[in-house]
Amino acid sequence: MKRSVWVFVVVAALSWGLPGIGNSAEEPGKSRPLPPIPLSLNEVLAWIDRSHPLLKGAGTEKVAARGKMLKALGAFEPTLINDTEVERFISSSNPQKGTQTVGFNDTLVEARHPWGFRGSAGVRQAIGDAKIPDLSFGGGNNQVILGGFFPLLRGLMVNPENAELQRSELADPRAEVKISQTRQDLFLAAATQFWDWVSTAKFVDIQRRALNVAEERLKQVEGRAKAGAVAPLDVVEAGQEVQRRREVAIAAQRALEQEQYKLSMFLWDNQAPTIPQVERAPDFPPPTPTPAMEMVQAHKLQAKTDRPEIREVDIEAKINNIDLELAKNNLLPSLDAEAAPARAPEKFVLGLGYRFGLELRIPILQKRSRGEVLEAQAQADRLVLIQRFREQQVAVDVDNALSAIERAKERVAAATESLRMAKTLEEGERFRFSLGATSVLFVNLRERNSVDSENQLVRAKADYQKALALYQWATGSWAKSLPTAVPVNYRVGASLSK
């Protein structure tokens, strides 16, 4: 009986002292912090689309395009006109009436058509005695006034106002091109900076691990030196290696902080850049299959239509065609027909209600018009050459990006094999050092070689991801498509209960 009571007391005491038993019963609702969510490139690109000031600034081009359209349409908007004309004169046919004061008050609406026609309609009220021969009403004191201007050769359908309207219609596509160009450049710069940040985070981790190994070895060598197993000079050697690796780790930390600040310029929130957390640095994705040649050719053809540089030249060519058409129209003689109410009060009072006219003007030398045509034709020829250059440049950009992908994959394979061999040599040298067959110097050299090989592998992986980003930029896939990821607001250390 005493033995069973003693066993019960021992078991109770052990169960009270074990943290896995007592603590779990006391704090069942305590939650663990969430692990960091790795930051992805798609999230960075989505962040740029959402709040980057340069992209927002490019978006104002759409507002400016609407302003240009309204400005061009202003030339054709109706205008309300109120005109009062009064004259004092002595009639030559009836001088006995003496000095007369007569005139009119016109209220009319005037408008212009893009084809070059101008028209007006309104009401005229006579001031004084007047003879109204046409379209009178209201006891013969009022008149309906109608007028029109009709270009028959120069200015018919092609005129400066209509040309400006056509240019303004291209302002919106030009704004889209500028937005696409800004997005393309921002996305490429962000992708390059993102993988630079990831690679420097890996460098810091590599240097910290190497520093920890050197510090542990220093403790080991100090213990063996106290026991007389190694020379005191080996302690100095191990200590110097610790300080060397600590300096390299500090430099790597500074490089990481610099890349963090650079990447923050692509992560804007509340009108200010946001510095990414180091804990969110992701691992490198595995390599993807290289696009087949048929797909590469299809991407080249698509890039020749999607790349903003190609679309910009196309818009410039359309604008130049408008200028060329206007310049050729200016070579035509000016033949204008006009019908309008009489504007001189004296003639109106005497009974001249309307005037009709037909005017012909023929420039003799046409120097200005011929010069405008030559200038527009030269610009058209230049744009054709630029278009050809841009198309070939797009094809070269795609080939260059594809070459970068292939060479980076080969570098990753070679660096992986080099790291495997370096690790083998490092482990072998450590084993020899444990047996006393080698010195600290050779162990340090083997470890440095492993660190260099691992750094080379990180650089190769980063260059491979940059090459993929360059391929997307070269094919123009970022010009129209938007990233699918949504930016997240994540705090490290947040618990499940919050």
Side-chain angles (χ1 to χ4, degrees):
M1 182 66 181
K2 291 182 179 180
R3 183 183 298 249
S4 61
V5 171
W6 174 251
V7 172
F8 175 79
V9 171
V10 171
V11 172
L14 290 174
S15 63
W16 179 264
L18 289 175
I21 299 177
N23 293 345
S24 61
E26 287 180 0
E27 300 179 357
K30 188 176 180 180
S31 58
R32 295 188 234 175
L34 288 171
I37 299 177
L39 184 65
S40 66
L41 178 59
N42 281 340
E43 184 179 343
V44 174
L45 302 185
W47 209 316
I48 293 174
D49 258 327
R50 182 187 67 171
S51 57
H52 200 280
L54 292 183
L55 197 55
K56 285 185 176 181
T60 59
E61 294 290 338
K62 301 283 277 185
V63 180
R66 289 195 292 269
K68 291 180 181 179
M69 174 66 75
L70 290 176
K71 182 180 178 181
L73 289 174
F76 308 103
E77 65 182 10
T79 304
L80 178 63
I81 301 174
N82 185 268
D83 181 26
T84 301
E85 300 273 351
V86 177
E87 286 189 4
R88 289 173 57 83
F89 66 95
I90 298 176
S91 175
S92 59
S93 60
N94 195 2
Q96 62 272 16
K97 286 188 175 182
T99 303
Q100 302 180 52
T101 301
V102 294
F104 56 80
N105 176 265
D106 289 350
T107 302
L108 67 152
V109 176
E110 188 176 76
R112 180 195 298 265
H113 193 273
W115 286 7
F117 306 142
R118 295 198 306 268
S120 61
V123 177
R124 168 174 291 181
Q125 184 178 9
I127 300 175
D129 295 333
K131 299 176 182 179
I132 301 178
D134 304 310
L135 304 177
S136 63
F137 68 96
N141 199 40
N142 297 317
Q143 181 186 25
V144 175
I145 53 176
L146 302 172
F149 176 85
F150 308 94
L152 303 179
L153 290 177
R154 182 191 298 178
L156 178 62
M157 301 180 66
V158 180
N159 52 76
E161 292 79 12
N162 193 18
E164 186 62 28
L165 179 61
Q166 294 177 10
R167 295 189 197 100
S168 67
E169 292 174 352
L170 295 173
D172 190 71
R174 174 179 280 182
E176 292 180 356
V177 168
K178 289 184 178 180
I179 294 174
S180 299
Q181 184 67 62
T182 303
R183 180 186 289 119
Q184 280 261 105
D185 295 342
L186 280 175
F187 280 14
L188 178 61
T192 303
Q193 185 57 47
F194 176 78
W195 294 118
D196 285 341
W197 172 66
V198 172
S199 59
T200 52
K202 301 300 180 184
F203 292 154
V204 169
D205 180 65
I206 293 172
Q207 298 301 333
R208 285 177 178 174
R209 286 190 279 110
L211 177 60
N212 293 335
V213 171
E215 291 175 343
E216 291 296 329
R217 181 178 299 108
L218 176 60
K219 296 178 181 179
Q220 179 184 2
V221 172
E222 286 177 345
R224 295 178 64 180
K226 291 179 181 179
V230 296
L233 192 61
D234 288 342
V235 178
V236 178
E237 175 72 24
Q240 189 270 340
E241 184 66 18
V242 169
Q243 297 303 320
R244 177 187 176 278
R245 295 186 185 183
R246 180 173 289 119
E247 187 273 332
V248 174
I250 294 173
Q253 180 64 31
R254 167 65 191 122
L256 175 60
E257 293 171 358
Q258 180 178 354
E259 299 302 327
Q260 277 182 294
Y261 289 126
K262 289 182 179 180
L263 183 59
S264 69
M265 295 306 296
F266 298 96
L267 306 176
W268 285 74
D269 190 20
N270 294 327
Q271 306 299 322
T274 302
I275 299 178
Q277 300 168 351
V278 181
E279 294 81 3
R280 297 195 63 189
D283 293 329
F284 289 104
T288 58
T290 305
M293 292 307 300
E294 296 80 4
M295 186 176 296
V296 172
Q297 294 299 326
H299 288 168
K300 287 182 179 180
L301 294 177
Q302 188 66 28
K304 291 180 180 180
T305 59
D306 290 347
R307 282 280 291 269
E309 299 91 332
I310 303 293
R311 293 157 57 194
E312 183 180 12
V313 176
D314 183 60
I315 293 175
E316 291 292 338
K318 291 180 180 179
I319 294 176
N320 187 73
N321 288 338
I322 295 173
D323 296 336
L324 179 60
E325 187 178 1
L326 180 61
K328 289 181 178 179
N329 183 265
N330 289 336
L331 291 172
L332 299 175
S334 176
L335 180 61
D336 302 327
E338 184 179 12
R343 303 304 302 171
E346 180 183 2
K347 295 179 180 179
F348 165 69
V349 172
L350 294 178
L352 181 60
Y354 279 87
R355 59 187 175 87
F356 302 90
L358 187 65
E359 183 184 46
L360 175 64
R361 292 187 180 185
I362 303 176
I364 298 176
L365 299 179
Q366 295 277 21
K367 290 183 178 180
R368 179 175 180 177
S369 300
R370 288 189 289 113
E372 291 175 350
V373 170
L374 288 176
E375 184 179 0
Q377 286 179 342
Q379 178 71 0
D381 295 339
R382 187 180 71 87
L383 290 174
V384 170
L385 297 176
I386 292 178
Q387 184 82 354
R388 293 176 183 173
F389 173 78
R390 296 297 186 198
E391 291 177 353
Q392 294 301 320
Q393 185 182 35
V394 166
V396 170
D397 288 341
V398 174
D399 290 336
N400 179 50
L402 191 63
S403 173
I405 292 174
E406 291 290 345
R407 300 294 84 78
K409 288 182 68 174
E410 294 175 0
R411 286 177 55 200
V412 169
T416 302
E417 184 65 17
S418 174
L419 178 61
R420 185 189 65 81
M421 294 179 179
K423 288 294 184 182
T424 302
L425 292 173
E426 176 186 346
E427 294 299 328
E429 200 67 35
R430 285 178 181 172
F431 180 72
R432 293 181 61 197
F433 178 75
S434 64
L435 298 179
T438 186
S439 64
V440 178
L441 173 62
F442 289 101
V443 175
N444 290 337
L445 292 176
R446 296 300 187 189
E447 290 178 350
R448 293 178 192 176
N449 184 42
S450 297
V451 169
D452 292 339
S453 298
E454 193 168 358
N455 287 340
Q456 284 298 108
L457 179 59
V458 170
R459 293 188 185 96
K461 290 182 176 180
D463 289 343
Y464 174 74
Q465 297 300 326
K466 293 178 186 178
L468 292 179
L470 181 63
Y471 187 81
Q472 286 187 284
W473 175 87
T475 56
S477 59
W478 283 332
K480 293 182 180 180
S481 61
L482 300 178
T484 56
V486 178
V488 295
N489 187 7
Y490 178 79
R491 294 183 298 109
V492 175
S495 60
L496 290 172
S497 59
K498 292 184 179 180

